[in-house]
Amino acid sequence: MKKITYILSAALMTLSFSACSLDADNVTQTSTSNFPVTEDDAVATLAGIYENLNAINAYPQESFLYYAMLASDDQLGGGGANDKLMQSMDMILNNGQNMTNNFYELRYQGINRANTLIQALPNLNLSDEVKAQDLGEAKFLRAFYYYELASMYGNVPLLTEPSGAITSPGDVKVLWGQILQDLYEAATTMPSVRKSDGHVDKYTAEAMLGRAWLFYTGFYGNGESVSDLTSTSYNPLTSVELPNGTTLTKQMVIELIDDCVNKSGYSLVSDFRNLWAYTNRLVVEDYPYTKGQGLKWVEDDQSSASVVNPESMFAIKFNKLASWSTTIGYGNGYALHFGVRGGQDYANTFPFGQGWGAGPVAPNLYNDWVAAEPSDMRRDATIENVNNMPAYQTGGASWADFIQETDYFGKKIPAISCKKEDGSYAPVFEQVMYGADGWINDNLMQTGNIHDLVLIRFADVLLMQSELKEDVQGINKVRQRAGLPAINSYSLAALQNERRWELATEGIRWNDLRRWHIAATALAKQENQPIRTSGASDTNKAHNGGYAARYNATAGFQKIPDNQISLGYITQNEGWTTSESEYGGW
């Protein structure tokens, strides 16, 4: 069975404190005077904070990661005629009063759990090392959850103590200062021990600090208004005042990124293709693209504790216990959503499993890549041209209402099928690799995807190092792995391209576009790209003024759910109060 880290303990425990959802019906106070008080309590509370990663996975279509993938210039919305949420996220439009309310509330639940442990830990009878590790993990997760909320909605309420009280947003500088402070403290106080058991370590905190620093200092470099945030002028900050009265500087961040690169023990996987599940041992010799290449997926046979992906720094783990009725978040819902739009024989789409057809790759990504790096092996490792799948049926066969279908399909995240010994196809390879026993078998096509969803890779850290230091060292390490020649001198344009190619379709591009202040121009290139609508030739049409207009009206922030607005503690984001924000369908 697939190796399981913190997820099972989180699934089986019952937490003894209430969660802050910023919902008027759930405002009970949490007391840390009687929980947690023991080491076991601390372990349970920490597991509950991690469990929020899977709680969100029950609603992947509402998450920041999902939005970031679809809203970027590299992927369109996709899905069928009724999948208006996918298309609306692509075009920064609204579909329903509470389109992302589950994400909003659940992230605050995770934050409140983190606040509970952070407040209680100083009084627990734990060793200094254990206390520092637990505190660092809790601060990392609080910062990560706030990073997603602040990226998604802008200036949201900052809560740093366990409480169900409804609090209005304060100064956005303080919100981002707290995010950076939590990550800096985690990075500088956690033990210098690399973790491979699903828990974050100090090096992961260093990596996330780099990501948060680059986004905040770039995006907010011109000011806080929508016009400042959508300005095409890029003037990143070089220092940030933290809530504790200290100052975080760019040089301090560089030193921690250098520490991560030089001392963490994380490394690049030798072959880029081995990062992705289509190179698993059950598929690799049946897939013409990978056959005979000597490839081996880094997650193969994770029943062994020795099987560790050296490039994965922060990932969501999954297991066989996903059930539609109770534990749907324990299956990889992103793999389902980004699977090939189904309704046809698995032989037609092999080795790719089927799903809802979210995020077809925009032709402009493929064409830009060919023009810039014609020999880059990562392009074909990342994007499948459906014309190379001779039996693939456009329009998804019986699901022939595919919207924004392109010739290009992202290969990193989706479901992967495999051939069984009898020649038939398993809808997910995990059904065969990890054995038939132990599944809560609601529907394996929908709940059986359990390969990791990696949120931070070491390659990203190398590219952040180059960007912060304005040198080519990290860029060239990534290019060398891709079989590309080194570049001789640093430029922001070269760095931007390298990040786009290396991290394509992983949800990183969206905040990169925003922080570099190039989003509106990049997004507009998706218009008039060739697509198919219900199998018929079409072009990707502008809606409600077009991509650039919607970005400039919102700065990329999502609509705050109406449930939260109705409580009176927060006001709606700009660009979401008129009919121009409503998606009416394709």
Side-chain angles (χ1 to χ4, degrees), residues 466-484:
S466 275
E467 185 169 6
L468 288 162
K469 300 174 77 170
E470 298 185 33
D471 68 20
V472 297
Q473 184 176 358
I475 292 175
N476 283 337
K477 288 178 182 177
V478 171
R479 288 178 63 81
Q480 182 181 27
R481 196 255 299 268
L484 295 173

Side-chain angles (χ1 to χ4, degrees), residues 64 145-156 172 175-176 179 215 219-220 514 557:
F64 172 69
Y145 296 158
Y146 267 127
Y147 171 86
E148 290 203 327
L149 283 167
S151 295
M152 184 85 143
Y153 303 110
N155 192 16
V156 296
V172 73
L175 172 64
W176 276 98
I179 292 169
F215 178 70
F219 190 49
Y220 285 93
R514 298 168 77 193
F557 293 129

Side-chain angles (χ1 to χ4, degrees), residues 15 97 217 270 333 472 566:
L15 294 173
Q97 293 181 324
T217 58
S270 60
V472 297
S566 69

Side-chain angles (χ1 to χ4, degrees), residues 21 28 114 117 145 156 197 229 263 274 300 339-340 347 358 368 412 418 459 461 495 498 508 542 568-569 576:
S21 65
T28 54
L117 187 57
Y145 296 158
V156 296
D197 59 357
L229 299 175
K263 298 180 181 179
N274 287 338
D300 260 355
V340 176
D368 288 352
K412 289 180 175 179
C418 73
V461 180
L495 181 280
E498 207 62 46
I508 307 299
Y569 70 92
W576 294 101

